[in-house]
Amino acid sequence: MVAISKIATGNGHGEDSPYFDGWKAYETNPFHPIDRPDGVIQMGLAENQLCFNFIKKWVMEHPEASLCSAEGVNKFKETALFQDYHGMPEFREAVAKFMGKVRSGRVKFDPDRIVMSGGATGAHEMVAFCLADPGEAFLVPTPYYPGFDRDLRWRTGVELVPVVCESSNNFKITRAALEAAYEKAKEANLRVKGLLITNPSNPLGTILDRDTLKGIVKFINEKNIHLIGDEIYAATVFMEPEFVSISEIIEEVECNRDLIHIVYSLSKDMGFPGFRVGIVYSYNDAVVSCARKMSSFGLVSSQTQHLIATMLSDDDFVDSFIVESKEQLFKRHKYFTLSLSQVGIGSLKSNAGLFIWMDLRKLLKEKTFDAEMDLWRVIINEVKLNVSPGSSFHCDEPGWFRVCFANMDDNTMEVALLRITTFMHKHNEAMVPRKLCRRASLKLSLSRRRDDFMSQNMMSPHSPIPQSPLVRART
Amino acid sequence: MLSSKASCNSHGQDSSYFLGWQLYENNPFHEVENPTGIIQMGLAENQLSFDLVESWLRKNPDVMELKKGGESVFRELALFQDYHGLPTFKNELVEYMAKIRGNKVKFDPNNLVLAAGATSANETLIFCLADPGEAILLPTPYYPGFDRDLKWRTGVVIVPVHCWSSNGFRITMFALEEAYERAQKLNLKVKGVLITNPSNPLGTTMTKEELDHLITFAMAKNIHVISDEVFSGTVFDSPGFISILEAAMDRNLENTDVWSRIHIVYSLSKDLGLPGFRVGMIYSNNKTVVGASTKMSSFGLVSSQTQYLLTNVLASKRFTSKYMKENQKRLKKRKEMLVSGLKKSGIECLKSNAGLFCWVDMRHLLSSNTLEAETKLWNQMVCDVGLNISPGSSFHCSEPGWFRVCFANMSRGTLQVAMRRIKDFVERSNFMGRSKMNYQQNMSSLSRKLLSNWVRKLSSPDPNEHER
């Protein structure tokens, strides 16, 4: 058998991590309020499902967005033929406007700097291809999204060097940490080409404050390295303090703009991961030009561009959506964290994202990652919740878990909380009085089962996991 | 500052193929608004059968509205990002692919991997089969996009397999061996051969003999065969289309090694005319390749909205049968119109039975049998005659004077205008003597600038180019 490539046979795809046991457990026994009430609840999936009714209403009221009105069908041909990698002008304008609105109008984005990509996944890989050669490196603050190990490294040959952040100062990105990482790269003979930050942070759910951002911009300018700001959770900031984007900071401090690039997507803010709308926004003309050519490998379907262009051009809808989404996230987050605190579970104070960074350090038998794995297996197999262990995010300290709260309905959230409470009551020596605010009636909001919609048999012979975990989980 | 990929020109867009498009964009023909503009004949699109699709859409508004049984499936689709793709979509795709092959080959949906267009499918396949610095053999003339898709980010090298007009550009065993030797001499490890069948730019389907040569060659050298069959649905005349898998099955190779080294690339951009929807796919019997490429497809999945729409379109068997038949009829008729139109101007085409273009022989119009003369003729065609046709050199053709001319991306009226222009040009050049033509007369200053920049770039060759 002749060999295929090293990339294909290696494990750079990142799916061999023991982390996926959680997914397997969920896939083989997914929770359903009626059909499978004892199934595993998926809390490892950072999806935003809280505003679908709001969006669906708009879609039903605007058939022209789906090209199915009488006039719409006439646009079909033009749309079906449109494969220009510049993207539809109306799509770029609508996205640029949306990005500006999400930043409360404090910055304006130039539609001509918007480059499409196959989701944020495609965007990250594309940026890595544009900025670094094989063997060169990016610095990434920990904890970070596990998908970066694949997106930035797999086919690009680029290395990632962690910038270690610690719980002692709430995982702040300090100058010292940045310098230490930079030195470490140097010692390993790795040429650092850039720093990638995720703001708001996945998995922390926090935003970077102005001073930290300014410090970061100063750092990258001094070292003359690129700054990639992954801002895909920008519209999920549901509480003060307000989100500050890199795009704002560079207006306030001196900065070589050729070093600044933003990755964006509609998968989190709008809850559209299936539509594969990824964006690279660069202040560097050469990068825009190169990325645009590369975007041929992952253009957004013109059918989807049309839908998004129509939707995001509707100012009333967008303005209402942004407010509604924040409200829903705020409510869910508050309820969830309050309920957890009442059984003695703390989490990092957060104001953004679709998850919390839960602190279970005191439940560890010992301060080791093995103990974290043991606890995690208990949570999956006994408590029947798929949460994500901190080690999979390269967290420096064991005992932290990312728990998603926006990908389920109220009823499922109740069940999850009940299970957590029961578990804590069993394992806490000091019992916390039950002060859970139970909902008066359990609303049986049956979310449409995926099974109704798709066939069950999605087992692929080569993969132990029926549904691609990494794709579904911005873990 | 940036990566070497960003700073080099391996993206392949300095090719005349793409420059022609640029010139067209600056001055596009319109029957009413710009009747003296450039007619786009360099874009292999199929615009002949949209009315059939539109009529289906009008009868099935639910699908576009993302409804199923009257209920909105918007949410489910918006959330669906599984890189295995919508199972129903893949089921329909494999049935459709089998239908195109007269049901002589059956495909397993589990061996089908979706990608964002054939552009992405080809790149992904190369990432899976070859390491940077390794080589893929490619028969010439070949689609200029391959220079980007197969080489740019993968770091793989293309070694051309030279084909000649003397035998209709057919792939011979000799040509394959010669290319392989050349690769060896350059210390390049050959991992596979990539063919396009039906051929772009030739518009011909491969003969059984050619396919057998390829398979035998792949067996002997222990390499992969990638068969880009994106034009398989555009075969409008005999001889029929033989897929590589059919040829392998005829030789009972299903349980041999080479079976797992044969991979097909397909897309809905050409026969269904939907390039904007970015629906490409890889088909392979090699589990490792399917596994790796499935994971890689994360970088370019097909929008769930589009998967849903097309699942329903393809599920309508009556529609697909009607479409295939009618589409082929229209392609044949349009091709014949181009061929006879050119013939009236004394220009012959390679005999073809597929594709959205003809491979046109304009060697007799060259002032000399050189690349320079071809480039000069091309300049005249684009800027003086106002037809963006694609010069053979952009397809790495080894002989100057051949041009690819597309016929399926315009109305009958526009094609008639194009034919008239060519006739006038040929008559004028016969009358005036070619060397006296001042082809720069009608060029806008922008076109002139673009052209001279391009010619300058052409004269300083990229050191990374291996094929010339």
Side-chain angles (χ1 to χ4, degrees):
Chain A
M1 231 314 264
V2 70
I4 54 178
S5 69
K6 295 195 182 80
I7 288 178
T9 43
N11 61 358
H13 50 70
E15 288 186 31
D16 291 340
S17 148
Y19 157 81
F20 288 105
D21 287 342
W23 284 93
K24 216 189 200 166
Y26 168 74
E27 294 295 340
T28 49
N29 184 20
F31 171 80
H32 186 273
I34 293 176
D35 299 346
R36 233 179 269 118
D38 294 325
V40 175
I41 296 177
Q42 175 62 286
M43 301 191 91
L45 184 53
E47 269 177 2
N48 184 357
Q49 294 192 27
L50 303 184
C51 280
F52 269 118
N53 287 335
F54 192 83
I55 296 172
K56 209 164 79 178
K57 184 163 174 285
W58 186 92
V59 171
M60 307 281 261
E61 288 167 5
H62 294 83
E64 74 280 9
S66 312
L67 294 176
C68 60
S69 59
E71 166 205 284
V73 177
N74 294 335
K75 272 204 89 135
F76 178 79
K77 176 177 168 183
E78 192 185 306
T79 308
L81 287 172
F82 189 86
Q83 57 170 327
D84 181 351
Y85 61 27
H86 288 85
M88 291 178 181
E90 57 270 29
F91 169 76
R92 284 184 285 116
E93 275 152 26
V95 171
K97 201 160 69 155
F98 183 71
M99 287 171 73
K101 284 191 169 191
V102 165
R103 289 152 185 76
S104 305
R106 292 187 298 268
V107 218
K108 273 192 77 110
F109 289 89
D110 178 359
D112 290 337
R113 290 195 175 281
I114 292 207
V115 178
M116 298 181 290
S117 61
T121 301
H124 277 295
E125 190 195 43
M126 194 156 82
V127 170
F129 269 126
C130 286
L131 302 182
D133 286 326
E136 295 183 334
F138 286 153
L139 305 180
V140 194
T142 66
Y144 65 78
Y145 161 58
F148 284 158
D149 290 324
R150 168 198 61 192
D151 301 349
L152 299 168
R153 295 187 324 169
W154 191 19
R155 306 191 304 181
T156 62
V158 167
E159 301 280 355
L160 294 184
V161 176
V163 176
V164 182
C165 302
E166 291 165 350
S167 62
S168 50
N169 68 346
N170 292 324
F171 301 95
K172 213 171 142 100
I173 303 172
T174 62
R175 179 70 183 219
L178 288 168
E179 290 284 2
Y182 192 84
E183 282 310 307
K184 204 153 170 225
K186 238 169 79 175
E187 279 157 31
N189 261 323
L190 292 170
R191 182 170 172 208
V192 176
K193 280 315 254 308
L195 166 66
L196 165 66
I197 59 173
T198 307
N199 178 33
S201 165
N202 174 11
L204 304 177
T206 53
I207 56 168
L208 294 176
D209 62 80
R210 235 184 184 85
D211 285 336
T212 304
L213 280 167
K214 286 187 177 165
I216 285 172
V217 170
K218 196 156 171 258
F219 174 77
I220 58 120
N221 273 277
E222 280 171 21
K223 301 282 192 251
N224 198 24
I225 60 176
H226 294 276
L227 178 60
I228 305 145
D230 179 336
E231 299 191 346
I232 67 170
Y233 291 98
T236 69
V237 181
F238 49 77
M239 208 162 73
E240 296 278 300
E242 241 189 346
F243 173 60
V244 181
S245 162
I246 303 259
S247 51
E248 292 172 59
I249 297 293
I250 61 174
E251 302 290 339
E252 296 169 19
V253 300
E254 235 187 85
C255 178
N256 174 6
R257 289 185 175 217
D258 278 348
L259 299 173
I260 309 293
H261 323 276
I262 293 177
V263 165
Y264 189 57
S265 136
L266 297 182
S267 301
K268 305 299 173 184
D269 287 352
M270 299 218 64
F272 295 162
F275 295 164
R276 313 316 299 150
V277 182
I279 303 288
V280 170
Y281 188 94
S282 176
Y283 291 87
N284 182 320
D285 291 344
V287 172
V288 170
S289 172
C290 177
R292 199 169 271 139
K293 294 178 179 75
M294 283 190 184
S295 68
S296 301
F297 298 112
L299 296 174
V300 176
S301 166
S302 54
Q303 181 192 12
T304 300
Q305 286 188 53
H306 176 81
L307 171 69
I308 298 300
T310 316
M311 193 184 279
L312 298 186
S313 305
D314 184 340
D315 286 326
D316 290 336
F317 167 75
V318 170
D319 293 338
S320 311
F321 171 79
I322 290 176
V323 168
E324 175 73 13
S325 179
K326 283 190 216 251
E327 238 176 72
Q328 295 296 330
L329 287 168
F330 173 76
K331 268 179 18 203
R332 182 58 71 84
H333 173 268
K334 186 166 175 202
Y335 181 62
F336 189 48
T337 49
L338 188 64
S339 310
L340 289 177
S341 67
Q342 284 166 345
V343 289
I345 296 179
S347 56
L348 187 70
K349 189 163 180 306
S350 64
N351 66 326
L354 309 172
F355 33 72
I356 56 162
W357 192 232
M358 192 161 70
D359 183 356
L360 296 182
R361 286 175 293 175
K362 62 183 189 217
L363 293 184
L364 294 183
K365 290 197 200 80
E366 50 188 26
K367 263 181 96 171
T368 62
F369 285 109
D370 282 341
E372 179 182 280
M373 283 292 118
D374 288 339
L375 175 58
W376 178 55
R377 271 185 274 274
V378 167
I379 297 176
I380 292 184
N381 297 319
E382 288 180 27
V383 191
K384 299 254 178 52
L385 301 176
N386 179 32
V387 301
S388 314
S391 50
S392 63
F393 294 85
H394 302 277
C395 186
D396 201 41
E397 194 186 349
W400 294 90
F401 290 79
R402 192 193 74 171
V403 184
C404 300
F405 59 73
N407 63 315
M408 61 190 71
D409 58 27
D410 292 337
N411 176 60
T412 310
M413 168 94 339
E414 289 295 333
V415 177
L417 283 170
L418 182 59
R419 291 181 185 182
I420 294 174
T421 312
T422 313
F423 171 74
M424 288 305 285
H425 284 178
K426 268 197 256 170
H427 286 82
N428 270 347
E429 282 174 22
M431 293 279 282
V432 178
R434 283 184 178 226
K435 262 200 256 169
L436 275 184
C437 13
R438 294 274 188 103
R439 293 293 168 90
S441 61
L442 281 178
K443 279 176 287 182
L444 282 180
S445 49
L446 292 177
S447 51
R448 193 187 170 94
R449 285 177 62 190
R450 284 214 174 87
D451 298 348
D452 294 340
F453 181 61
M454 299 179 297
S455 85
Q456 279 280 42
N457 282 335
M458 294 174 58
M459 286 296 292
S460 202
H462 47 273
S463 160
I465 300 139
Q467 282 165 322
S468 53
L470 266 184
V471 174
R472 290 178 62 201
R474 280 288 295 211
T475 49
Chain B
M1 180 53 63
L2 302 184
S3 66
S4 44
K5 285 181 184 67
S7 341
C8 70
N9 63 355
S10 303
H11 48 71
Q13 282 191 220
D14 293 337
S15 154
S16 51
Y17 182 77
F18 295 104
L19 179 63
W21 290 7
Q22 248 188 308
L23 295 171
Y24 161 76
E25 296 292 337
N26 292 333
N27 183 20
F29 170 83
H30 187 275
E31 280 150 345
V32 178
E33 287 161 30
N34 190 17
T36 56
I38 299 178
I39 297 176
Q40 173 64 294
M41 303 191 90
L43 186 53
E45 267 176 5
N46 182 4
Q47 293 192 27
L48 303 188
S49 304
F50 269 114
D51 56 310
L52 301 173
V53 182
E54 281 161 3
S55 134
W56 185 92
L57 284 172
R58 283 197 189 89
K59 296 194 194 112
N60 297 273
D62 257 20
V63 174
M64 285 291 259
E65 273 183 62
L66 301 181
K67 284 199 195 126
K68 184 178 174 170
E71 254 191 74
S72 170
V73 290
F74 180 83
R75 184 175 164 275
E76 286 71 18
L77 287 176
L79 291 172
F80 185 82
Q81 55 171 327
D82 182 348
Y83 59 26
H84 290 94
L86 267 180
T88 42
F89 185 44
K90 295 211 300 190
N91 289 338
E92 294 301 340
L93 282 171
V94 298
E95 261 194 63
Y96 182 68
M97 285 171 73
K99 202 167 175 160
I100 289 176
R101 289 154 183 73
N103 288 313
K104 292 194 209 109
V105 188
K106 268 197 80 97
F107 296 92
D108 178 355
N110 292 316
N111 289 347
L112 190 72
V113 180
L114 300 178
T119 299
S120 174
N122 275 315
E123 190 198 41
T124 294
L125 206 42
I126 298 297
F127 266 124
C128 288
L129 302 180
D131 290 326
E134 295 184 332
I136 298 285
L137 305 183
L138 230 62
T140 67
Y142 64 77
Y143 162 58
F146 283 153
D147 288 323
R148 169 197 60 194
D149 303 348
L150 308 179
K151 291 195 316 183
W152 190 18
R153 307 191 307 180
T154 61
V156 163
V157 177
I158 292 177
V159 174
V161 178
H162 296 299
C163 299
W164 306 93
S165 61
S166 47
N167 73 336
F169 297 95
R170 295 287 171 197
I171 302 170
T172 62
M173 203 50 154
F174 177 80
L176 289 166
E177 293 284 0
E178 191 273 325
Y180 192 85
E181 299 288 304
R182 216 177 331 118
Q184 304 273 71
K185 286 205 185 85
L186 291 167
N187 263 321
L188 295 168
K189 181 167 184 206
V190 175
K191 285 310 261 301
V193 53
L194 187 148
I195 56 171
T196 307
N197 177 28
S199 163
N200 175 11
L202 304 176
T204 52
T205 49
M206 283 199 178
T207 60
K208 185 88 186 348
E209 197 185 25
E210 282 176 291
L211 291 166
D212 280 338
H213 285 324
L214 280 155
I215 294 173
T216 304
F217 181 72
M219 287 166 77
K221 303 290 189 241
N222 203 18
I223 61 175
H224 296 272
V225 181
I226 301 170
S227 180
D228 182 334
E229 302 188 350
V230 294
F231 290 98
S232 48
T234 69
V235 179
F236 48 76
D237 217 340
S238 59
F241 172 64
I242 306 172
S243 166
I244 186 100
L245 280 181
E246 190 190 330
M249 280 165 66
D250 278 351
R251 288 166 65 165
N252 296 314
L253 296 171
E254 290 97 313
N255 294 314
T256 65
D257 270 355
V258 76
W259 186 249
S260 64
R261 296 202 304 276
I262 296 175
H263 322 280
I264 291 177
V265 166
Y266 182 58
S267 124
L268 300 185
S269 303
K270 303 300 175 184
D271 45 358
L272 283 182
L274 309 172
F277 289 176
R278 314 315 300 145
V279 182
M281 60 212 83
I282 295 168
Y283 187 87
S284 176
N285 292 303
N286 184 318
K287 302 300 179 206
T288 315
V289 171
V290 172
S293 57
T294 301
K295 296 178 178 71
M296 285 188 193
S297 67
S298 301
F299 300 112
L301 298 172
V302 178
S303 169
S304 56
Q305 184 193 13
T306 300
Q307 289 190 52
Y308 182 70
L309 168 66
L310 296 175
T311 303
N312 285 277
V313 173
L314 295 178
S316 172
K317 300 304 170 197
R318 233 181 32 186
F319 168 76
T320 53
S321 299
K322 178 173 174 208
Y323 182 90
M324 281 169 67
K325 234 170 94 190
E326 185 62 26
N327 184 42
Q328 283 161 16
K329 226 169 76 184
R330 294 180 187 185
L331 286 171
K332 181 172 181 185
K333 213 165 157 205
R334 190 58 69 84
K335 169 242 172 183
E336 280 164 359
M337 188 180 158
L338 174 67
V339 171
S340 57
L342 289 174
K343 211 178 180 122
K344 290 196 183 94
S345 306
I347 299 174
E348 297 286 333
C349 302
L350 184 74
K351 189 164 185 311
S352 66
N353 64 327
L356 310 173
F357 33 74
C358 284
W359 190 233
V360 181
D361 186 355
M362 295 172 84
R363 289 176 293 176
H364 60 292
L365 296 174
L366 296 183
S367 52
S368 60
N369 186 21
T370 59
L371 173 62
E372 289 70 33
E374 179 186 280
T375 305
K376 199 163 142 195
L377 178 58
W378 175 62
N379 291 345
Q380 288 176 279
M381 293 305 296
V382 179
C383 302
D384 185 39
V385 186
L387 302 178
N388 178 34
I389 59 176
S390 312
S393 50
S394 65
F395 294 84
H396 303 275
C397 185
S398 313
E399 294 168 48
W402 292 88
F403 288 78
R404 190 192 75 172
V405 181
C406 299
F407 56 73
N409 63 317
M410 64 189 74
S411 66
R412 273 185 64 94
T414 306
L415 186 55
Q416 276 161 346
V417 173
M419 296 295 89
R420 241 193 331 268
R421 288 185 184 182
I422 291 189
K423 194 149 188 283
D424 290 344
F425 167 74
V426 170
E427 280 169 4
R428 269 201 323 270
S429 40
N430 283 339
F431 179 68
M432 283 173 64
R434 275 183 292 286
S435 51
K436 292 205 177 113
M437 283 294 291
N438 181 2
Y439 61 86
Q440 288 192 330
Q441 255 165 4
N442 298 325
M443 259 204 283
S444 69
S445 60
L446 178 60
S447 301
R448 213 173 295 140
K449 185 171 174 219
L450 282 168
L451 260 175
S452 60
N453 281 346
W454 176 75
V455 170
R456 212 178 309 127
K457 266 190 202 151
L458 203 67
S459 47
S460 41
D462 178 356
N464 294 324
E465 292 286 311
H466 280 271
E467 51 260 40
R468 294 223 190 262

